[in-house]
Amino acid sequence: MHARVVAPMAAAVLGTVALLLSPTSDARAGDESETTVIAHRGASAYAPENTLASIDKAAQLGFTWVENDVQRTKDGELVVIHDDSLQRTTNVEQVFPGRAPWKVKDFTAAEIARLDAGSWYSPAYAGTRVPTLKDYMCHIEHNHEKLLLEIKNPELYPGLAQQILKQLGSEGWLDQRHLKRLIVQSFSADSIRTVHELRPAITTAYLGTPTAAQLHQFARFTDLINPSYGSLSKGYVSAVHSFEGPHDKPLRVFAWTVNDAATARRVAGYGVDGMITNKPDVVKAALGSN
């Protein structure tokens, strides 16, 4: 479906691109209690990121939305990890010392299952594993959580978007009940376009900050524009909201990665619809104190 620009806003949006993209500290008096708070890689300030422990921690803190990153092993298994290398968040250097640079794509699922993905964060999490997407989805279901799933580094993994869709279908996450709890995002516009074309019922999000003049193109295949909070202004958020996406609703904005109270209040003043954060409790408290 083609995007529609809300008529009264169109001329102002496209005629004042420079103004829209300029930072501003003006606060908007909106209902910020409705801002969606998403736990980034789980509650990653309090547990090792992208692990089952991190999504358990988010649930314990009372947050239902979690974000993750999906990549692929050498033998084709989908796993949840942020970096394209295993080096930062596992003990891969000790277990496989001769296999630098320790890329995810160069290790089998069985090899990755041997790695400790928790000790780097804290001894309390020693023995934590890199989850497969299958195990992660089962855990999300058990916790009754909602998922903002990122297709990570698709340029390294041909067909990654299609494989993720197949896995989501196998886990029962493409029925109407689960689709309300799922958003698929990526920095790759091609990947998000592919998801929309293959499964148009899925809510999609583009990670980045298209110019106001480009928004009509993105609105053909994405429901959200999710930029870094540092690139945002009140005007830009208004510009995004003035376009309708493929599901005939105004585009939304989830900003990342907001981790302190002052930033949360400032970004809420821009009118964003959600914030992605390592510290969901801090952000929620800040929004509630306005």
Side-chain angles (χ1 to χ4, degrees), residues 37-39 43 45-46 61 63 258-265 275-290:
V37 179
I38 304 99
Y46 311 115
L61 291 171
F63 294 91
V258 179
N259 288 326
D260 65 87
T263 301
R265 287 190 288 268
M275 296 186 208
I276 302 169
T277 172
N278 300 336
K279 299 179 177 181
D281 54 335
V282 171
V283 169
K284 182 179 179 181
L287 298 181
S289 66
N290 270 8

Side-chain angles (χ1 to χ4, degrees), residues 218-229:
F218 284 85
R220 296 188 178 108
F221 58 85
T222 192
D223 300 280
L224 296 96
I225 300 294
N226 293 354
S228 167
Y229 77 84

Side-chain angles (χ1 to χ4, degrees), residues 14-219:
L14 299 179
T16 58
V17 173
L19 174 62
L20 296 178
L21 296 181
S22 63
T24 176
S25 59
D26 292 343
R28 181 179 65 89
D31 183 6
E32 291 157 2
S33 64
E34 296 183 358
T35 304
T36 301
V37 179
I38 304 99
H40 183 232
R41 309 178 199 171
S44 55
Y46 311 115
E49 65 182 58
N50 274 324
T51 63
L52 303 186
S54 69
I55 58 177
D56 283 345
K57 186 62 178 179
Q60 291 166 13
L61 291 171
F63 294 91
T64 57
W65 274 104
V66 297
E67 185 263 1
N68 77 351
D69 306 277
V70 180
Q71 302 193 66
R72 187 167 65 207
T73 68
K74 183 178 181 179
D75 53 343
E77 184 79 50
L78 297 177
V79 290
V80 177
I81 188 169
H82 177 269
D83 298 1
D84 66 355
S85 172
L86 296 154
Q87 186 176 13
R88 179 176 64 87
T89 58
T90 77
N91 63 339
V92 68
E93 290 184 74
Q94 289 73 48
V95 179
F96 299 103
R99 293 177 61 180
W102 301 289
K103 298 294 187 180
V104 174
K105 65 183 180 64
D106 295 331
F107 287 78
T108 67
E111 289 171 334
I112 292 175
R114 293 173 53 190
L115 303 178
D116 182 336
S119 292
W120 70 274
Y121 179 88
S122 166
Y125 289 101
T128 299
R129 302 304 176 193
V130 175
T132 65
L133 181 59
K134 178 180 175 64
D135 288 343
Y136 190 96
M137 298 307 297
C138 288
H139 212 70
I140 288 280
E141 184 76 358
H142 177 268
N143 287 355
H144 305 290
E145 290 173 304
K146 304 173 184 179
L147 179 60
L148 176 59
L149 182 154
E150 182 177 342
I151 303 171
K152 195 71 178 180
N153 299 319
E155 67 280 2
L156 300 178
Y157 314 104
L160 181 61
Q162 293 90 330
Q163 185 178 359
I164 288 173
L165 292 178
K166 184 176 180 180
Q167 182 81 67
L168 290 171
S170 297
E171 300 306 316
W173 270 73
L174 296 182
D175 62 21
Q176 193 59 40
R177 180 171 63 91
H178 286 86
L179 286 173
K180 296 177 181 178
R181 297 162 51 194
L182 175 68
I183 301 172
V184 176
Q185 68 175 0
S186 183
F187 284 99
S188 165
D190 287 342
S191 293
I192 294 306
R193 189 182 293 107
T194 294
V195 170
H196 176 67
E197 290 174 350
L198 294 177
R199 292 285 184 170
I202 292 178
T203 301
T204 54
Y206 174 70
L207 282 161
T209 314
T211 67
Q214 294 172 324
L215 287 171
H216 72 284
Q217 300 170 352
F218 284 85

Side-chain angles (χ1 to χ4, degrees), residues 5-12:
V5 182
V6 177
M9 292 290 295

